[in-house]
Amino acid sequence: MKIGFYTSTFNDRPFEEVADFAKEAGFDAIEIDVRGHIKTPDRVADVVTVARDRGLFVASITLTGNQLDADIGHRAELRRSTLEFAHAVGEAKVPIFVIFPGRNDDASEEENYDNFADHANALIEATEASGLTFAIENWPGPKDNFIGTTPHGWQQLFEKIRSPRFGLEFDPSHLLRIGVDPFAALAGVRDRIAVLHAKDTAIDPERQQAVGYHGKGWWQYKLPGKGMLDWDKFLRQAMSYGFDGTLSIEHEDAAYGWPGKDLSARKEGERLGLSFLRNALKSI
């Protein structure tokens, strides 16, 4: 497996600086955030070249945003931009483009799944020449209601999006905080794993007891190895399914400078995550 990180942790820094750090720290790969480091489709090729010139594998490019936005105008604009980025990502020969389904609160559950599936199938068809793979991350969104972020939701999408060019950026941290067993969940999507997000979650049981699931402060995202996930078991399981892709650290650990605080602390967090994952892989 290659080990990289998602550049959103350094969205306040120029991409050249981020890529230099990735090379210096010993990372194999990088996952580039559109909002922070690419901005427009015409910039994809140049940014990808910066990474490759430093010997980094560009594992994926990620575009945040609600692809099911209830505002028809906003949705249309995001989807137009998504298609333009998809063509640029494919032409740059980056293998995976990550997007987020989102949700339209004004539509039914079935309508949301049907709408996104139609959109995803159209993207897949439009990029047939490049063979680009699309993936969705299982982030539940700011309201914890995005579609396609649980095992049940994934299966609904996979029934409607049959192409093997559609899969998951599988992030165990989100599952831990919503009460889903990440090991059972991984087993259910073994053939659809595009990228593994390396992020952990810590849960404070006393705080959870005090405020309940809908309260605040009882869980925190952590760097790999700083939370509750058994990473040796998790990585061994993924490898048993033939996964040999990229482990992409998504650093959102407040103990190490996130979000956008001390830069040296953020870099130290990335280094710690890399060291932990390297050692975990060696032990398997």
Side-chain angles (χ1 to χ4, degrees), residues 1-6 29-32 57-62 94-99 133-138 166-172 186 189-198 234 238 243-250:
M1 289 187 199
K2 297 179 178 66
I3 302 177
F5 65 82
Y6 180 30
I30 201 161
E31 176 184 2
I32 307 174
F57 174 68
V58 182
S60 55
I61 289 176
T62 297
V94 175
I96 299 165
F97 187 34
V98 181
I99 59 177
T133 291
F134 293 85
I136 58 169
E137 185 190 344
N138 55 296
F166 178 78
L168 294 176
E169 181 169 61
F170 189 101
D171 188 329
L186 189 69
V189 292
R190 64 181 68 193
D191 297 325
R192 294 276 195 155
I193 307 165
V195 182
L196 286 178
H197 251 187
F234 183 73
F243 180 79
D244 191 31
T246 299
L247 279 168
S248 180
I249 298 171
E250 185 179 25

Side-chain angles (χ1 to χ4, degrees), residues 246-272:
T246 299
L247 279 168
S248 180
I249 298 171
E250 185 179 25
H251 174 6
E252 294 184 353
D253 192 329
Y256 293 90
W258 184 86
K261 296 178 182 177
D262 184 76
L263 180 60
S264 62
R266 280 181 276 161
K267 289 181 176 181
E268 178 63 13
E270 298 284 10
R271 291 191 185 97
L272 288 171

Side-chain angles (χ1 to χ4, degrees), residues 108-131:
S108 70
E109 187 87 349
E110 183 178 1
E111 288 170 333
N112 271 286
Y113 277 92
D114 286 342
N115 192 312
F116 181 75
D118 288 345
H119 174 45
N121 282 322
L123 288 170
I124 291 166
E125 182 178 0
T127 55
E128 183 176 358
S130 68

Side-chain angles (χ1 to χ4, degrees), residues 58-107:
V58 182
S60 55
I61 289 176
T62 297
L63 175 65
T64 58
N66 182 353
Q67 297 281 339
L68 291 166
D69 197 314
D71 185 305
I72 295 176
H74 290 167
R75 186 196 313 165
E77 174 58 25
L78 176 60
R79 292 188 176 188
R80 180 197 62 77
S81 178
T82 300
L83 179 58
E84 291 180 359
F85 270 108
H87 284 305
V89 171
E91 288 169 6
K93 300 190 184 306
V94 175
I96 299 165
F97 187 34
V98 181
I99 59 177
F100 295 77
R103 175 183 286 273
N104 177 358
D105 289 327
D106 297 332

Side-chain angles (χ1 to χ4, degrees), residues 3-6 8-9 31 64 100 137-141 144 169-177 180 182-183 195-202 219-231 234-235 246-254 258 269-270 272-274 276-277:
I3 302 177
F5 65 82
Y6 180 30
S8 63
T9 306
E31 176 184 2
T64 58
F100 295 77
E137 185 190 344
N138 55 296
W139 176 51
D144 287 337
E169 181 169 61
F170 189 101
D171 188 329
S173 70
H174 301 307
L175 300 173
L176 289 169
R177 76 169 179 88
V180 174
F183 302 104
V195 182
L196 286 178
H197 251 187
K199 188 171 67 180
D200 214 328
T201 295
W219 64 269
Q220 290 184 322
Y221 290 136
K222 305 296 288 184
L223 288 161
K226 303 290 185 182
M228 60 189 295
L229 188 70
D230 182 337
W231 283 91
F234 183 73
L235 295 174
T246 299
L247 279 168
S248 180
I249 298 171
E250 185 179 25
H251 174 6
E252 294 184 353
D253 192 329
W258 184 86
E270 298 284 10
L272 288 171
L274 174 61
F276 174 83
L277 292 171

Side-chain angles (χ1 to χ4, degrees), residues 9-42:
T9 306
F10 302 107
N11 274 352
D12 59 334
R13 309 308 302 169
F15 184 70
E16 290 78 4
E17 179 183 321
V18 178
D20 284 341
F21 163 70
K23 177 182 178 181
E24 174 272 324
F27 283 92
D28 310 309
I30 201 161
E31 176 184 2
I32 307 174
D33 182 57
V34 166
R35 304 293 186 188
H37 291 120
I38 300 181
K39 307 294 189 185
T40 57
D42 62 309

